[in-house]
Amino acid sequence: MDTVEKLKQWIEESSNIVFFGGAGVSTESGIPDFRSVDGLYHQKYSEPPETILSHSYYIRKTEEFYRFYKDKMLCLTAKPNAAHKKLAELEAAGKLKAVITQNIDGLHQAAGSKKVLELHGSVHRNYCQKCQKEYDAEYVLESDGIPRCRCGGELKPDVVLYEEGLDQGIMNESVRCISEADVLIVGGTSLVVYPAAGLVNYYRGSRLVLINKSQTALDGRADLVINDSIGKVFSQV
């Protein structure tokens, strides 16, 4: 039995699947993985993405932070791909219990997924630091320089920056979902970003599936490894 057939069988047999995904799920919708540093990036920015997307940089150089953020992190024309759509379908069928994502683009919700645990927040929520009023991503994108609230306060995206902690409630719920799952499908992540990558350790079952184009550190622990594009695999399921 080939790997995709085996995955199909496990999905058919389960009603408690959890999906844990990373940047690779979104790159197939045309959202660049900012870790893959491109030539254009080198021409325009003096510091690496990890520096610009840090809490201290945001505080120190807010305008420069927003220049990068609007340019690289707000891909608002992107549409859900085959993986997003299939996961929403599996949830609607009562098979998938949760999507846990490291992505901040909201594409899982756009595809129709209801239970989405966003480990790193979302570009679609932005709050005034003064009065807490919420603004959408379009408002931020269309603003000049530093986006401001009508009250004059600066907006901050509800995105976990480097040096900031993850939301403990979302982490706890992710741990609960993973520890209770029959099948855990991990896709589009090289499992190097902690603490998110450590969540896989809470899985207690015997059907751990890794779908990634390249190898990961956990391939040896997985019960099924598929080295392929996640959209392609899910379009066959």
Side-chain angles (χ1 to χ4, degrees):
M1 184 188 289
D2 84 348
T3 50
V4 177
E5 281 304 314
K6 191 179 236 189
L7 175 61
K8 277 164 82 168
Q9 186 190 326
W10 286 2
I11 288 172
E12 275 162 27
E13 291 170 359
S14 174
S15 59
N16 190 352
I17 302 164
V18 169
F19 178 81
F20 174 45
V25 181
S26 292
T27 48
E28 292 179 42
S29 289
I31 293 183
D33 175 1
F34 69 85
R35 273 192 194 77
S36 47
V37 176
D38 54 38
L40 172 76
Y41 163 79
H42 271 316
Q43 292 158 28
K44 287 173 77 173
Y45 302 99
S46 55
E47 280 137 316
E50 283 84 350
T51 303
I52 299 173
L53 294 172
S54 69
H55 179 82
S56 51
Y57 192 93
Y58 166 79
I59 299 296
R60 212 172 62 245
K61 297 185 176 178
T62 312
E63 195 155 352
E64 190 62 10
F65 166 87
Y66 268 114
R67 191 162 80 87
F68 178 84
Y69 181 79
K70 291 178 199 178
D71 187 27
K72 287 286 189 183
M73 310 301 285
L74 294 181
C75 306
L76 304 184
T77 53
K79 298 278 185 282
N81 61 50
H84 297 109
K85 290 172 185 166
K86 180 55 72 174
L87 290 164
E89 215 177 278
L90 290 172
E91 183 186 35
K95 291 189 160 293
L96 185 87
K97 295 301 180 221
V99 167
I100 301 165
T101 181
Q102 293 172 282
N103 299 330
I104 56 175
D105 47 51
L107 287 177
H108 285 292
Q109 290 92 330
S113 287
K114 301 280 183 280
K115 171 96 174 186
V116 183
L117 297 164
E118 295 173 311
L119 295 171
H120 296 154
S122 170
V123 299
H124 296 285
R125 298 184 298 271
N126 304 273
Y127 296 101
C128 171
Q129 305 227 69
K130 213 161 152 187
C131 74
Q132 297 304 306
K133 184 174 165 62
E134 186 177 344
Y135 289 85
D136 62 16
E138 283 77 10
Y139 182 87
V140 170
L141 190 60
E142 286 157 18
S143 62
D144 291 326
I146 299 168
R148 293 190 177 275
C149 175
R150 292 177 186 91
C151 80
E154 279 179 14
L155 300 193
K156 184 172 188 286
D158 188 14
V159 166
V160 180
L161 302 176
Y162 287 93
E163 304 163 352
E164 293 180 346
L166 301 191
D167 181 291
Q168 211 41 58
I170 289 172
M171 277 296 276
N172 292 345
E173 181 60 7
S174 300
V175 167
R176 187 190 69 77
C177 292
I178 285 174
S179 63
E180 292 174 2
D182 296 336
V183 177
L184 175 62
I185 303 172
V186 180
T189 172
S190 47
L191 294 168
V192 291
V193 178
Y194 282 82
L199 285 170
V200 178
N201 297 328
Y202 291 96
Y203 179 59
R204 302 198 181 105
S206 57
R207 291 184 167 185
L208 172 60
V209 183
L210 292 188
I211 307 169
N212 202 44
K213 281 182 181 170
S214 52
Q215 293 181 314
T216 77
L218 285 185
D219 283 11
R221 256 190 62 193
D223 304 291
L224 183 60
V225 177
I226 305 176
N227 288 132
D228 208 341
S229 128
I230 190 149
K232 189 174 154 195
V233 171
F234 273 113
S235 60
Q236 295 170 52
V237 167

